[in-house]
Amino acid sequence: MRSALFVLLLLTMGACRRKEAPRIEQVGPAELTHQRSCEWLDWENNSCRADSVLRAGEVRFEQVTFVEANPSATRALVGQLDGAGSLVDLRSGDVLLRFPPHTSKREWCDDSRLVVSSPLADFGSSQGLLGTSLEVVWFDASAAVQRAVLHRGLRAVPRLACGPGGSLAFIVSGTRGEAPIELYRWSPEEGSKLLETWAGEIENGDSSDLDVSWSPLGQPEWCARVRPYSVNRCVPPVRPVAR
């Protein structure tokens, strides 16, 4: 009888979890609570997990995996364990936009522009996540949410930079023998516009070595960083000499 009770006690303890003291992180007006727990009989802590809950206003977001807030911490891209991503007002808890699964933050350009990236398709265990969908979300003068697609395709976007007047510059990687590396500029008025293609291959490197910035005149500039990066040298593309 005692042995049966002992086994029952062990099973009951195995089904329960011991919890550590919660850790609370302030994200602007919202609170992100992290609660770590482990199975009672797991002395090596192999079963431990951290559950995170975001409380914004009166709204709770369960199983939060990340919170990417804007500089003033009034809005944030919130990811959850099931892959869902939402743009959340941290003051009220209102969901302003919902994104495709596996969406991640690429850049907050000040408080009003967010660039996000998501895979184009999920082929499961055979090939995994493929392609890139790059999207910008911004708020107009009335605080209404606007969104636009910057790029969608199998090629990646290794670099982007926030620019003046709500504009963006980004690089689309090439595919050997098929598509060149390209530099684009996007603005709310004109959309995405191809500015330049990279002539030939990048010597001793690839598109991940590229960098993009903005000139004092408000024009995108790009160059290829020379390896090793410690030499601090960036080479512009080869351009035809004007005659």
Side-chain angles (χ1 to χ4, degrees), residues 142-224:
S142 66
V145 186
Q146 308 288 333
R147 64 196 298 180
V149 174
L150 302 175
H151 165 76
R152 182 171 288 156
L154 292 177
R155 293 190 288 163
V157 179
R159 295 287 182 270
L160 67 87
C162 306
S167 59
L168 296 162
F170 60 96
I171 296 170
V172 177
S173 65
T175 53
R176 189 177 297 274
E178 295 182 13
I181 302 170
E182 298 169 330
L183 173 65
Y184 287 84
R185 174 176 181 161
W186 177 89
S187 67
E189 298 79 20
E190 298 182 351
S192 292
K193 181 180 179 181
L194 175 63
L195 297 182
E196 189 176 13
T197 60
W198 191 276
E201 302 290 335
I202 297 173
E203 187 176 355
N204 300 321
D206 54 35
S207 57
S208 65
D209 296 307
L210 293 174
D211 195 16
V212 61
S213 59
W214 290 83
S215 73
L217 298 177
Q219 296 299 319
E221 295 180 333
W222 61 336
C223 58

Side-chain angles (χ1 to χ4, degrees), residues 84 134 169 183 200 232:
L134 194 70
L183 173 65
N232 196 27

Side-chain angles (χ1 to χ4, degrees), residues 67-80:
V67 177
E68 297 283 4
N70 63 356
S72 66
T74 54
R75 304 181 181 105
L77 176 64
V78 178
Q80 292 175 277

Side-chain angles (χ1 to χ4, degrees), residues 119 121-131:
D122 185 353
F123 290 92
S125 58
S126 59
Q127 298 183 61
L129 304 173
L130 293 178

Side-chain angles (χ1 to χ4, degrees), residues 19-143:
K19 295 182 178 180
E20 299 179 359
R23 180 171 61 88
I24 299 176
E25 179 183 348
Q26 203 72 33
V27 187
E31 279 190 350
L32 182 62
T33 302
H34 306 280
Q35 178 74 70
R36 190 169 183 263
S37 63
C38 310
E39 292 180 2
W40 272 105
L41 299 179
D42 178 15
W43 310 120
E44 297 181 354
N45 294 339
N46 293 322
S47 65
C48 295
R49 71 167 187 257
D51 297 311
S52 299
V53 175
L54 177 71
R55 186 178 184 88
E58 298 300 318
V59 183
R60 285 169 55 91
F61 297 86
E62 307 281 348
Q63 297 183 318
V64 170
T65 53
F66 64 82
V67 177
E68 297 283 4
N70 63 356
S72 66
T74 54
R75 304 181 181 105
L77 176 64
V78 178
Q80 292 175 277
L81 192 61
D82 60 0
S86 307
L87 181 60
V88 175
D89 188 314
L90 295 175
R91 296 158 293 190
S92 63
D94 293 341
V95 175
L96 306 175
L97 277 179
R98 298 189 188 277
F99 295 102
H102 310 295
T103 293
S104 60
K105 182 207 80 169
R106 286 295 300 266
E107 197 72 52
W108 270 107
C109 301
D110 57 55
D111 278 335
S112 59
R113 286 178 294 157
L114 169 65
V115 183
V116 297
S117 178
S118 61
L120 194 61
D122 185 353
F123 290 92
S125 58
S126 59
Q127 298 183 61
L129 304 173
L130 293 178
T132 301
S133 180
L134 194 70
E135 187 177 1
V136 59
V137 175
W138 73 100
F139 299 86
D140 62 21
S142 66

